[in-house]
Amino acid sequence: MDLVSGYKGMVGLVFGNENSSSNEDSYVQRLLDRISTGSLAEDRRSALIELQSVVVESRAAQLAFGAMGFPVLMGVLKDERDDVEMIRGALETIVGALTPLEQSKGKNEVQPALMNTDMLSHEAENISLLLSLLSEEDFYIRYYTLQILTALLMNSPNSFSAGYAGKALAEFLFRLQEAILTIPRGITRLMDMLMDREVIRNEALLLLTYLTREAEEIQKIVVFEGAFEKIFSIIKEEGGSEGGVVVQDCLELLNNLLRNNTSNQILLRETMGFDGLISMLRLRGGAYSFTQQKSVLGTINLLLVGGSEADAGKDANKLTNKTVLVQKKVLDYLLLLGVENQWAPVAVRCAALRCIGDLIAGHRGNLDALASKVLGENHQVEPALNSILRIILRASSMQEFIAADHIFERFCEGNCDGQSMLASTLIPQPYSMTHASIDEDVNMSFGSMVLHGLTSSETDGDLDTCCRAASVLSYVLKDNMQCKERVLRIELESSSGALGHSEPLMHLMVKYLALASGTKHKESKSNTSGNSYIQPIILKLLVTWLSDCPPAVNYFLDLRPHLSYLLELVSDQSATVSTRGLAAILLGECVIYNKSSESGKDSYAVVDAISQKVGLTSYFLKFDEMKKSFLFSAEKSTAPSHKPLSRSAAASMAEIEDVDEQLSSDQKGEDHPILSSILPKTEVAVVPAEMEQKTGESDKEYIRRLKSFVEKQCSEIQDLLGRNATLAEDLVKIGGGESSYSDQRATTGSERVQTETLRRDLKEAHQRIEMLKNENMKLESEASMYQNLAGKVESDLKSLSDAYNSLEQANFQLEKEVKALRTSGGRDVEAARAEAREEALKESEGELNDLLVCLGQEQSKVEKLSSRLMELGEDVDTLLEGIGDDVGLPEGGEDDDEEDAD
């Protein structure tokens, strides 16, 4: 009632003063009175037709109807089910009240249709009543009912402000889902409508698409009712990949049933199979819309995900899906859409490339299948991996580069043989070959194309191509020592033209890193940040290369300017957070994986340089800054974002065009968004080995070892502090010259580094010890609790045992008594039987005597009646003929049976 009162208040505000009544308000009121209180059926139908016409034309009438009309018309739907014309008119009027009219005022104008949506959906009884109408035989009743339910879903997200739109839709969906589950065969009726006339089928399909969103119970019923067969039947009727919005709705419903649902995916695979889905990827005719292909790619991606994270069978299902899809030649269609077809929109190509990457991930057979694929026609053929690499190097779309890069990331992940195969093609070529025009790379091998991309900046300053090639090379090197050492030996001819002069590839990468820094400064002056991802990607290559590879660290430190530039980069406030953080990681690798004993290149020299140029505290802060950046922040919610329910929700060509504008619009902060797809793949931990708990080591042993480690560090710190104090006193006494002071500074600098390092280790060790103490206390408390619980259980078991023993004794006693009664009471039983038999005979004799008396009385009555009938002239024998025969037969039969038995 509060909602209705508020609604009437809103009507008053829209129409004028709350106490005044507009013409529309009074007119709608009169029509509703005629409908609710009229005695003539024709007059009520006429009023309903008039109400319908005024509601679909006037916004004011819509608003007035929402305040007063729903109770009246819902009463008609409830109480007058036999009057088809009234039911039709009421439903059509409600459809008009929920249909938004064109806006004629500003954006803040009241929308009556949206308010009516909220009014109608607020009561769960209304939803149940509407759903019950779906069982009516009349076509228009079912059609209008579906239109109302669809309009409620379409308007719900817009009924409130942006902050409450999602909540409003979720609440209404929940009410609708609950109501339809409580109605017998509610889902079955909707599923049957998929085989109804086209207009009803389309409305039912749209309604089911929304009902199955995140509703597991409804999904189960829909699948049980043959959803897969009906979906693919409709798709076939509508033309398959050449179909329109109805095919889009079918695919959306299919996605709802497959998303994070392992059992439904298995059912589809083992019943219908994936053939109907894969066939829609085929390109037919000359005019391609690619709309359906993009939708099918989304469905295939769901199959490659496998199921929800909580599902134990997710991995096995995902692996089987990948196997079956490749067996059905889906890889060929994906390569055609993503690589070979140049007419496909960027979004379609990107979706196909991402599917290829997910299809081969962790699947040895699919990895080999992609490695053996050859694309092209006639004499112009090349390996598929080369074609994908060309997309990475040449694509003008950043999204296409990311999607193709994803393929090489998945191909090299845990695939040592594949990495070695690709690395074997990285053979140094003459300067004329490696610096040839980009148009001449058709006949190049994979390695030649990578080296060509890495060195292309020397001829045209194209650092973008260089960083893309660097990203691919980082995947080839990741966690593969043989590939790292092989590439480490690559030297390329210099552009200086000096005969026989060559430069190591690693040194060339550092040079390009510095060159990118200069380019970045130029861009910062012009307020552009289009290439802010170049430095981080090159740094990613170097971080991957140096990780757990001492020869690479030694090679990197061969040129002292490399270390100097890296220190400057870490301290460069104009550099992005990811650039400074990756440079800090690279410095850490120069310390951890440094096995050199050469003066000036060993780990102590690197730490000393960090302490002097950056400061250890500032250095470690770079890691914290990087972790807090958007690249390493908590992942965004992966819940699927649903489009508004509308026939126009089908993907249009405008929606599947280039999406790079969205990429740039999503950029927040100073780091380029591409880095979120390229960089956060692995974590580099710079932690002393002594601080880690060893495998199989108990907590007590670990704590004991940490204590000894801390004590050792403390003693070393005390020694260093004493030496520093002694050196400081000597320095004061000497008063020294410049050269002497310089020597002492170099010495104390190294010791200061060690001191700060040891202090940091000591602090971390103390924190770890405290944490372990807390955990130990927690474990002790839990152990005490379990010990008390065990004692209680033991006492309960003892009580149960005592009770059981008592029951056994009582049972034994009862058995003895029963046995005694059986042995001593046999005679008494026979006597009791004889006595009972005599009593039964006496009772039966008494009853027989009573029966004979009654028969004698009845016989005398019969004689009297017979004589009286004879006096009246009636033939008694004729009257009695046949009487008693039906009754006597069974008795005679029974007697015969008894005689036979005797």
Side-chain angles (χ1 to χ4, degrees):
M1 294 302 294
D2 293 338
L3 183 62
V4 174
S5 302
Y7 213 100
K8 291 182 177 180
M10 179 61 71
V11 174
L13 291 174
V14 173
F15 291 154
N17 192 294
E18 288 190 31
N19 297 324
S20 65
S21 179
S22 66
N23 293 331
E24 291 87 349
D25 191 7
S26 58
Y27 183 45
V28 170
Q29 180 67 58
R30 288 196 302 273
L31 293 175
L32 290 172
D33 290 341
R34 288 170 58 188
I35 294 171
S36 59
T37 61
S39 57
L40 298 177
E42 289 299 325
D43 181 62
R44 296 179 68 226
R45 293 192 183 99
S46 176
L48 192 57
I49 293 173
E50 292 181 38
L51 179 63
Q52 175 188 338
S53 62
V54 71
V55 164
V56 297
E57 295 176 357
S58 171
R59 298 164 57 81
Q62 274 190 345
L63 197 59
F65 174 82
M68 302 174 286
F70 280 121
V72 175
L73 294 194
M74 297 308 291
V76 171
L77 298 179
K78 183 177 181 180
D79 302 329
E80 303 182 37
R81 300 289 279 268
D82 295 334
D83 194 336
V84 176
E85 293 297 325
M86 286 294 291
I87 297 294
R88 284 184 185 177
L91 290 173
E92 196 169 1
T93 303
I94 295 174
V95 171
L98 300 179
T99 303
L101 301 178
E102 293 183 3
Q103 296 186 10
S104 58
K105 299 181 181 179
K107 294 182 180 179
N108 296 328
E109 184 181 16
V110 175
Q111 294 295 318
L114 305 184
M115 299 185 69
N116 291 345
T117 297
D118 179 44
M119 186 73 176
L120 180 60
S121 63
H122 188 75
E123 298 293 336
E125 295 179 359
N126 295 342
I127 306 300
S128 300
L129 179 58
L130 289 171
L131 289 171
S132 67
L133 293 172
L134 295 176
S135 60
E136 295 292 328
E137 295 183 359
D138 185 75
F139 168 81
Y140 290 100
I141 290 178
R142 289 182 286 130
Y143 177 61
Y144 292 143
T145 301
L146 286 172
Q147 281 192 318
I148 291 172
L149 294 172
T150 304
L152 291 174
L153 287 169
M154 291 169 60
N155 295 342
S156 290
N158 303 317
S159 300
F160 296 91
S161 60
Y164 297 93
K167 184 179 179 181
L169 178 59
E171 290 178 353
F172 173 68
L173 270 178
F174 178 76
R175 289 199 297 268
L176 184 58
Q177 291 165 351
E178 288 294 315
I180 201 169
L181 285 173
T182 56
I183 295 178
R185 301 185 73 253
I187 295 294
T188 304
R189 293 172 191 166
L190 281 177
M191 292 299 298
D192 291 341
M193 290 181 181
L194 292 181
M195 299 291 105
D196 210 320
R197 300 186 195 179
E198 185 175 346
V199 288
I200 287 186
R201 179 201 69 186
N202 295 347
E203 293 295 332
L205 182 62
L206 196 60
L207 187 59
L208 279 169
T209 300
Y210 248 64
L211 286 174
T212 52
R213 287 182 176 177
E214 302 174 11
E216 187 175 352
E217 290 300 321
I218 294 181
Q219 289 176 4
K220 291 179 181 178
I221 301 174
V222 167
V223 171
F224 180 77
E225 293 291 338
F228 293 140
E229 293 83 354
K230 293 176 180 178
I231 287 173
F232 283 104
S233 175
I234 296 173
I235 289 175
K236 185 177 180 180
E237 290 178 8
E238 293 295 320
S241 60
E242 298 177 358
V245 293
V246 177
V247 175
Q248 288 288 315
D249 292 337
C250 287
L251 292 174
E252 181 67 21
L253 176 58
L254 181 63
N255 290 349
N256 290 347
L257 300 177
L258 297 179
R259 184 177 291 110
N260 296 329
N261 195 316
T262 301
S263 60
N264 285 354
Q265 291 182 15
I266 295 174
L267 183 63
L268 174 63
R269 186 178 67 233
E270 296 181 353
T271 55
M272 297 291 295
F274 297 152
D275 296 299
L277 197 62
I278 297 173
S279 65
M280 296 183 66
L281 292 175
R282 298 173 184 169
L283 300 177
R284 300 180 177 89
Y288 304 139
S289 67
F290 295 102
T291 303
Q292 313 306 342
Q293 281 79 10
K294 184 174 186 297
S295 300
V296 174
L297 290 173
T299 307
I300 291 177
N301 183 67
L302 294 177
L303 296 174
L304 297 178
V305 171
S308 63
E309 293 295 335
D311 196 333
K314 171 189 174 182
D315 293 335
N317 176 58
K318 177 168 61 175
L319 202 63
T320 306
N321 286 346
K322 291 180 180 181
T323 302
V324 174
L325 285 170
V326 171
Q327 290 174 353
K328 299 294 182 180
K329 308 299 182 184
V330 75
L331 184 57
D332 295 333
Y333 296 118
L334 293 176
L335 288 170
L336 179 61
L337 279 175
V339 181
E340 295 185 276
N341 194 303
Q342 299 303 315
W343 297 100
V346 172
V348 175
R349 297 202 301 268
C350 291
L353 291 171
R354 283 193 293 268
C355 281
I356 294 173
D358 294 335
L359 187 65
I360 64 175
H363 195 292
R364 173 58 57 184
N366 294 358
L367 287 169
D368 295 339
L370 178 61
S372 61
K373 286 293 179 183
V374 177
L375 305 181
E377 297 179 353
N378 301 327
H379 300 291
Q380 295 183 349
V381 295
E382 66 175 352
L385 290 175
N386 287 23
S387 300
I388 297 170
L389 175 61
R390 185 174 291 105
I391 293 176
I392 293 177
L393 300 177
R394 291 187 178 186
S396 58
S397 166
M398 192 58 61
Q399 284 282 26
E400 196 169 2
F401 156 54
I402 295 173
D405 185 84
H406 174 67
I407 295 178
F408 278 101
E409 178 192 5
R410 295 302 189 186
F411 182 83
C412 296
E413 195 171 40
N415 184 13
C416 294
D417 294 337
Q419 288 174 306
S420 300
M421 183 267 293
L422 296 178
S424 65
T425 64
L426 292 167
I427 302 173
Q429 301 291 332
Y431 178 82
S432 59
M433 186 67 177
T434 56
H435 296 80
S437 172
I438 194 171
D439 296 328
E440 299 179 12
D441 65 354
V442 179
N443 299 320
M444 291 184 182
S445 65
F446 174 86
S448 299
M449 290 174 64
V450 172
L451 295 176
H452 180 274
L454 291 172
T455 57
S456 61
S457 60
E458 289 200 7
T459 56
D460 54 10
D462 186 9
L463 287 174
D464 182 69
T465 304
C466 174
C467 92
R468 295 184 182 195
S471 180
V472 174
L473 183 58
S474 67
Y475 300 135
V476 177
L477 301 182
K478 185 178 180 183
D479 300 329
N480 194 315
M481 180 63 71
Q482 292 181 350
C483 292
K484 290 179 181 180
E485 294 179 349
R486 182 188 185 94
V487 178
L488 201 60
R489 296 190 293 268
I490 294 179
E491 295 188 358
L492 301 176
E493 291 186 10
S494 174
S495 60
S496 61
L499 184 63
H501 179 72
S502 59
E503 190 172 7
L505 179 59
M506 177 179 284
H507 296 176
L508 203 59
M509 289 298 98
V510 180
K511 183 171 72 173
Y512 292 154
L513 180 64
L515 184 60
S517 179
T519 305
K520 178 180 67 67
H521 286 304
K522 291 179 182 179
E523 289 174 351
S524 62
K525 294 180 181 179
S526 59
N527 294 325
T528 62
S529 58
N531 292 333
S532 60
Y533 58 88
I534 291 178
Q535 276 189 307
I537 292 180
I538 296 178
L539 282 169
K540 185 193 75 165
L541 169 61
L542 294 174
V543 167
T544 304
W545 204 341
L546 270 62
S547 177
D548 201 19
C549 185
V553 173
N554 189 56
Y555 226 71
F556 179 81
L557 296 175
D558 273 346
L559 297 181
R560 189 164 185 82
H562 290 177
L563 181 59
S564 301
Y565 171 69
L566 209 55
L567 292 168
E568 293 176 4
L569 193 58
V570 171
S571 304
D572 187 3
Q573 294 302 317
S574 64
T576 62
V577 173
S578 59
T579 300
R580 295 195 298 268
L582 288 169
I585 292 175
L586 196 57
L587 281 173
E589 290 180 337
C590 291
V591 176
I592 296 175
Y593 305 117
N594 191 331
K595 304 300 182 183
S596 175
S597 58
E598 183 179 347
S599 177
K601 288 178 57 177
D602 59 359
S603 57
Y604 292 102
V606 177
V607 173
D608 194 8
I610 295 174
S611 177
Q612 292 182 21
K613 298 291 182 67
V614 181
L616 292 180
T617 303
S618 177
Y619 170 75
F620 286 111
L621 284 176
K622 306 304 176 186
F623 298 105
D624 296 333
E625 292 175 2
M626 193 173 185
K627 289 179 181 179
K628 294 177 182 178
S629 68
F630 84 98
L631 296 177
F632 296 88
S633 58
E635 294 183 1
K636 298 178 180 178
S637 175
T638 56
S641 58
H642 301 301
K643 297 178 181 178
L645 183 64
S646 171
R647 286 292 171 195
S648 61
S652 62
M653 286 304 296
E655 291 176 333
I656 59 177
E657 290 299 332
D658 196 341
V659 288
D660 283 335
E661 292 183 2
Q662 180 183 359
L663 180 67
S664 60
S665 64
D666 291 341
Q667 181 174 344
K668 296 180 180 180
E670 55 182 356
D671 284 313
H672 199 283
I674 187 179
L675 301 178
S676 61
S677 302
I678 302 281
L679 290 184
K681 307 300 182 185
T682 57
E683 296 181 358
V684 179
V686 184
V687 181
E690 295 86 348
M691 301 292 291
E692 295 294 336
Q693 188 171 6
K694 299 178 180 178
T695 305
E697 185 178 25
S698 65
D699 290 340
K700 291 183 178 180
E701 294 175 349
Y702 181 42
I703 294 173
R704 191 181 302 112
R705 186 166 58 83
L706 281 178
K707 286 181 179 180
S708 62
F709 174 75
V710 171
E711 291 174 356
K712 180 181 177 182
Q713 298 294 323
C714 289
S715 64
E716 291 180 357
I717 290 173
Q718 293 297 329
D719 294 340
L720 288 172
L721 290 175
R723 291 171 58 189
N724 286 342
T726 303
L727 290 171
E729 292 175 0
D730 294 341
L731 181 62
V732 172
K733 291 178 181 179
I734 296 172
E738 291 292 332
S739 59
S740 177
Y741 175 75
S742 176
D743 294 339
Q744 293 292 342
R745 179 183 177 186
T747 305
T748 57
S750 176
E751 293 176 349
R752 186 176 71 254
V753 170
Q754 296 181 19
T755 302
E756 292 184 7
T757 304
L758 291 173
R759 284 177 178 172
R760 182 182 180 86
D761 293 343
L762 178 62
K763 183 178 179 181
E764 292 177 353
H766 277 302
Q767 292 175 350
R768 188 67 183 269
I769 289 172
E770 290 298 325
M771 182 181 68
L772 290 173
K773 285 182 178 179
N774 294 333
E775 292 179 357
N776 191 30
M777 291 176 62
K778 184 178 179 181
L779 290 173
E780 288 179 354
S781 63
E782 290 180 356
S784 177
M785 180 187 69
Y786 288 130
Q787 188 174 3
N788 295 334
L789 184 61
K792 182 180 178 182
V793 171
E794 186 178 355
S795 63
D796 292 342
L797 287 174
K798 186 176 180 181
S799 301
L800 288 173
S801 178
D802 296 340
Y804 179 75
N805 292 333
S806 300
L807 287 174
E808 278 193 338
Q809 292 177 359
N811 185 39
F812 180 73
Q813 186 66 29
L814 289 172
E815 287 180 351
K816 287 179 62 178
E817 293 177 359
V818 168
K819 191 177 295 183
L821 287 173
R822 284 178 178 176
T823 55
S824 63
R827 299 173 184 176
D828 297 339
V829 170
E830 292 296 331
R833 286 180 179 176
E835 185 178 354
R837 194 177 294 112
E838 292 178 359
E839 291 179 358
L841 288 173
K842 290 180 181 180
E843 289 179 0
S844 62
E845 289 178 357
E847 291 176 355
L848 183 61
N849 293 332
D850 295 339
L851 182 59
L852 291 174
V853 172
C854 291
L855 288 174
Q857 294 175 353
E858 292 297 324
Q859 183 64 30
S860 62
K861 290 180 182 179
V862 170
E863 292 176 354
K864 290 180 181 180
L865 288 173
S866 299
S867 61
R868 179 62 179 165
L869 289 171
M870 292 176 64
E871 291 176 0
L872 294 174
E874 295 290 340
D875 188 354
V876 176
D877 295 334
T878 304
L879 290 174
L880 295 177
E881 185 177 356
I883 297 176
D885 293 344
D886 296 338
V887 177
L889 284 175
E891 293 177 354
E894 290 177 0
D895 294 341
D896 294 339
D897 292 341
E898 290 177 358
E899 291 176 358
D900 294 341
D902 295 334

